[in-house]
Amino acid sequence: MATDSSPAIVWFRDDLRVTDNPALSAAAGSGRPVVCVYVWDEESPGIRPPGGAARWWLHHSLIALGEELERLGARLLIRRGAAEQVIADLLGETDAALLFWNRRYGLAERTVDETIKSAARARGVEATSFGAALLFEPWTIRTGSDTPFSVYTPFWRACLSSPAPRKPLDAPNELAAGPRLSGLSVDELGLLPTHPDWAGGLRESWTPGEQSARASLDAFLSDEVADYKQNRDTPGIAATSRLSPHLRWGEISPHQVWHATSAARGAGSRASAIAEGATTFLSELGWREFAYHTLFQHPQMATQNIHPEYDGFPWPRLHPAALRAWQEGRTGIPLVDAGMRELWHTGTMHNRVRMVVASFLTKNLLIDWRHGEQWFWDTLVDSDPASNPFNWQWVAGSGADAAPYFRVFNPELQREKFDPHGDYVRRWVPEWGTDSYPEPIVDLGETRRAALAAYDVVRRGRG
Ligand code: FAD
């Protein structure tokens, strides 16, 4: 039976931060001791386990969260197992009165959460969830005929004319630590690569954690935002925010990004450039929202075409050597190879180049987008259950508001346009232009024609 001193439990998931964390703030505000828990769940059915680079990120992010919580007087308890069982055990052990979390949007995750909420309520625990990962909850943005949007521009227009996203919450001043409970160390989760340790490039490139997320946002808003619109498509220039893995793990909320960006608009000689950059930047955040709203409508988006007529796409038999050459950056197409090597080394790739390598895989190598999506899932530090499959389907033509299939990027023209001096390609493919650089593994013109012929099959199928 819960008493006045029974604790409040905060279950952390994709929200590894103490600032603007509604679940944590609610627990702090309850005046009860607080138990903060992270559950490493590889058992609940249907939940996609994070890929290798994302696991590396998670390891460091959990350490950073633990430090933030300790500063506030609490601890991060880490447990492993099916969330339903782990949370039930914890409610029993602590005799908790309250249970809080911030929402997730995948179907398997929602199913787990609903089951846990009902079970908690059945035992008299007040369970409450909050919106914290999205600016607009998926069920609040609807067309005039009360259907979800399938096209981005009217979607984002509807978002912008909805009530503005709430202001971010401050971190709690302090937390009363709940009982000391036995848990695992972050190391015991085994999230880091060991044999071999391939994470050297990730360590050089990134600092996971809430403080680093905030520093990236501040640096972007003071240095880059004014030129964002102009430079964001140039992979040789560091012109974007690099916030995506921080947003993926919720080390920063979109509300914090939204309000800080809005506040950066102001007077001064560059005011109009800053305003323009801010609007473009927020509309990119809008693509993240659109990807999540699409996931909410199409929970199987990582494995199933959003447009089912693409199920009839005549993918040729997989050529494993071609897939490997793409993965390893040995296709003989410099911009593709540069992108794939950047990805392998740093765990990220410039957005423009992501589009080019995805188009090359699906439309020049004629390899099913799911192979590319899975490789990105394993190698990106920002690999995201909504944004990754959404964007793959966008490039492949099967997705929501997708690029038309017949828009096949020519990776050589893309290089000339977006990397005209070769800064980006030379950084990642130093042997480009020498004898040791391979010839292209496919003819771009021929493969483009084959892709369009394959697409005709889909188009005819559609009637
Ligand atoms: P900025 O230009 O600073 O943009 C700000 C934020 O807006 C990003 O951090 C991100 O959260 C969001 N954003 C920007 N573009 C997109 C987009 N097209 N779709 C969704 N959100 C966007 N992004 C991921 O976060 N995770 C993924 O797994 C992922 N996979 C992708 C796969 C493909 C094939 C493609 C073409 C794009 C993918 N993206 C993904 C989108 C985009 O490439 C990255 O979000 C962006 O490169 C991250 O860099 P940034 O934080 O500096 O972006």
Side-chain angles (χ1 to χ4, degrees):
M1 197 53 197
T3 65
D4 284 351
S5 59
S6 295
I9 293 181
V10 182
W11 177 17
F12 283 86
R13 301 101 65 84
D14 299 330
D15 52 350
L16 306 181
R17 63 179 182 271
V18 298
T19 307
D20 195 34
N21 187 322
L24 183 66
S25 290
S30 74
R32 293 176 179 275
V34 178
V35 172
C36 298
V37 64
Y38 182 85
V39 182
W40 175 241
D41 181 356
E42 294 176 293
E43 294 172 31
S44 294
I47 295 187
R48 192 177 187 186
R55 288 159 72 105
W56 174 87
W57 190 286
L58 176 61
H59 173 98
H60 294 289
S61 194
L62 288 173
I63 292 175
L65 176 65
E67 289 168 359
E68 294 292 339
L69 288 171
E70 268 170 39
R71 251 193 284 281
L72 299 178
R75 285 180 290 272
L76 181 63
L77 173 69
I78 296 180
R79 294 235 168 130
R80 181 182 359 226
E84 189 181 342
Q85 188 60 51
V86 174
I87 299 294
D89 291 347
L90 194 56
L91 294 178
E93 267 169 71
T94 58
D95 209 9
L98 306 172
L99 172 61
F100 297 110
W101 65 68
N102 297 312
R103 284 180 206 120
R104 309 184 280 191
Y105 299 91
L107 179 61
E109 288 82 354
R110 282 187 277 138
T111 307
V112 167
D113 293 355
E114 275 162 28
T115 310
I116 294 176
K117 199 178 261 186
S118 311
R121 285 177 179 164
R123 66 198 293 165
V125 176
E126 205 180 299
T128 313
S129 60
F130 300 88
L134 295 178
L135 297 168
F136 305 95
E137 295 291 35
W139 48 91
T140 64
I141 304 295
R142 312 277 293 175
T143 65
S145 41
D146 198 25
T147 55
F149 282 94
S150 54
V151 179
Y152 170 77
T153 303
F155 164 81
W156 191 232
R157 210 180 301 124
C159 290
L160 294 179
S161 58
S162 299
R166 61 165 174 74
K167 286 259 166 65
L169 306 167
D170 289 336
N173 286 331
E174 61 178 338
L175 298 166
R180 197 171 262 284
L181 300 159
S182 67
L184 300 169
S185 68
V186 177
D187 280 336
E188 283 172 299
L189 298 181
L191 299 172
L192 294 182
T194 46
H195 303 300
D197 170 12
W198 44 256
L202 306 192
R203 286 192 290 274
E204 274 166 28
S205 311
W206 297 101
T207 307
E210 181 167 359
Q211 293 192 17
S212 162
R214 186 68 219 194
S216 296
L217 176 61
D218 291 347
F220 172 75
L221 292 178
S222 60
D223 301 335
E224 278 110 21
V225 70
D227 299 315
Y228 180 76
K229 186 163 185 217
Q230 206 174 320
N231 291 343
R232 59 177 290 270
D233 264 326
T234 308
I237 303 180
T240 66
S241 69
R242 288 169 58 85
L243 280 172
S244 54
H246 299 293
L247 282 161
R248 156 66 186 93
W249 290 107
E251 296 170 354
I252 194 163
S253 72
H255 305 77
Q256 291 170 282
V257 177
W258 172 281
H259 285 284
T261 304
S262 305
R265 298 173 200 262
S269 60
R270 303 216 65 197
S272 74
I274 292 174
E276 217 171 51
T279 300
T280 308
F281 178 62
L282 290 180
S283 75
E284 293 305 316
L285 213 54
W287 278 101
R288 177 178 176 276
E289 298 281 316
F290 189 47
Y292 268 93
H293 287 222
T294 306
L295 175 69
F296 190 75
Q297 298 304 328
H298 299 277
Q300 310 306 333
M301 179 166 81
T303 52
Q304 289 174 19
N305 292 312
I306 290 177
H307 287 293
E309 61 269 27
Y310 276 80
D311 294 351
F313 192 93
W315 297 108
R317 200 163 59 84
L318 175 67
H319 203 325
L323 178 59
R324 233 178 358 261
W326 178 81
Q327 290 170 338
E328 293 173 359
R330 293 184 291 99
T331 65
I333 305 291
L335 187 58
V336 171
D337 291 346
M340 298 309 292
R341 294 185 199 182
E342 179 187 25
L343 172 61
W344 182 250
H345 187 75
T346 65
T348 190
M349 190 195 301
H350 190 277
N351 179 59
R352 166 64 40 183
V353 190
R354 292 188 202 202
M355 291 194 275
V356 171
V357 304
S359 170
F360 182 76
L361 185 82
T362 51
K363 298 177 184 176
N364 293 108
L365 298 182
L366 273 179
I367 292 179
D368 189 329
W369 62 266
R370 282 161 274 233
H371 290 288
E373 197 274 344
Q374 183 60 45
W375 182 254
F376 269 34
W377 182 259
D378 279 339
T379 52
L380 277 173
V381 286
D382 65 18
S383 59
D384 182 287
S387 295
N388 197 41
F390 173 90
N391 278 287
W392 272 96
Q393 294 219 40
W394 187 86
V395 176
S398 59
D401 197 11
Y405 184 85
F406 50 80
R407 186 163 145 218
V408 180
F409 281 116
N410 179 318
E412 293 294 53
L413 296 181
Q414 291 280 311
R415 174 174 60 74
E416 283 163 23
K417 184 163 179 200
F418 295 108
D419 190 30
H421 309 295
D423 300 334
Y424 175 76
V425 165
R426 260 194 310 275
R427 188 179 315 149
W428 296 106
V429 188
E431 79 278 23
W432 176 44
T434 71
D435 288 348
S436 55
Y437 188 61
E439 289 294 315
I441 59 170
V442 288
D443 180 277
L444 294 175
E446 241 169 60
T447 48
R448 176 176 188 276
R449 280 188 292 278
L452 294 180
Y455 172 66
D456 260 352
V457 174
V458 171
R459 209 169 39 186
R460 279 200 302 272
R462 200 193 280 164

